[in-house]
């Protein structure tokens, strides 16, 4: 289990904490990526458990879990905030940030 802590920029006051269960039980599971949407109303987290999670902000209500099946190296929202791009070592996927439906996938042979 991991806890996602969100602090304000001024004074480092704790705003909210949520518990995040990793999808796969791995001793080394870690959150590696945190990104806000440009509008600031959503936050994504991604990590070594192979999942990208989208949270509503500031409530930190869970919205989506996107399963990449392998450790996520990078993830971000597009400029509009309606798509999520996520990368592992050999897969790049684009998802709808609203429905979680995969829009595109590129697999690098290796």
């Amino acid at each position: 289990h991991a806890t996602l802590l969100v602090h304000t920029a001024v004074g480092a006051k704790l705003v909210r904490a949520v518990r995040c269960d990793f999808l796969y039980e791995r001793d080394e599971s870690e959150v590696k990526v945190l990104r806000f949407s440009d509008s600031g109303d959503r936050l994504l987290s991604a990590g070594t458990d192979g999942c990208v999670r989208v949270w509503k902000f500031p409530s930190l209500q869970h919205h989506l879990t996107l399963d990449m099946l392998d450790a996520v190296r990078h993830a971000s929202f597009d400029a509009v905030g309606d798509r999520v791009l996520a990368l592992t070592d050999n897969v790049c996927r684009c998802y709808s940030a609203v429905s979680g439906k995969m829009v595109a996938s590129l697999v690098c042979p290796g």
Side-chain angles (χ1 to χ4, degrees):
H1 304 291
T3 302
L4 178 63
L5 301 173
V6 177
H7 296 264
T8 61
V10 179
K13 179 182 174 189
L14 179 64
V15 175
R16 180 122 171 127
V18 290
R19 185 174 152 190
C20 180
D21 292 331
F22 287 110
L23 185 61
Y24 302 109
E25 293 297 326
R26 297 181 183 162
D27 291 337
E28 71 279 0
S29 291
E30 297 176 2
V31 174
K32 295 288 192 177
V33 180
L34 290 173
R35 298 278 188 275
F36 280 99
S37 61
D38 282 353
S39 62
D41 65 343
R42 283 171 291 156
L43 174 69
L44 68 77
S45 62
T48 59
D49 72 332
C51 291
V52 178
R53 291 174 180 84
V54 178
W55 310 86
K56 294 178 182 178
F57 190 81
S59 69
L60 291 183
Q61 178 184 2
H62 180 257
H63 177 64
L64 291 172
T65 296
L66 310 170
D67 191 356
M68 294 290 291
L69 302 175
D70 200 3
V72 178
R73 304 294 178 204
H74 178 78
S76 64
F77 290 100
D78 70 351
V80 178
D82 62 356
R83 302 269 192 249
V84 172
L85 183 68
L87 301 137
T88 68
D89 284 340
N90 62 353
V91 176
C92 176
R93 291 189 179 139
C94 182
Y95 293 92
S96 164
V98 176
S99 69
K101 180 180 177 183
M102 188 185 334
V103 177
S105 180
L106 175 64
V107 178
C108 303

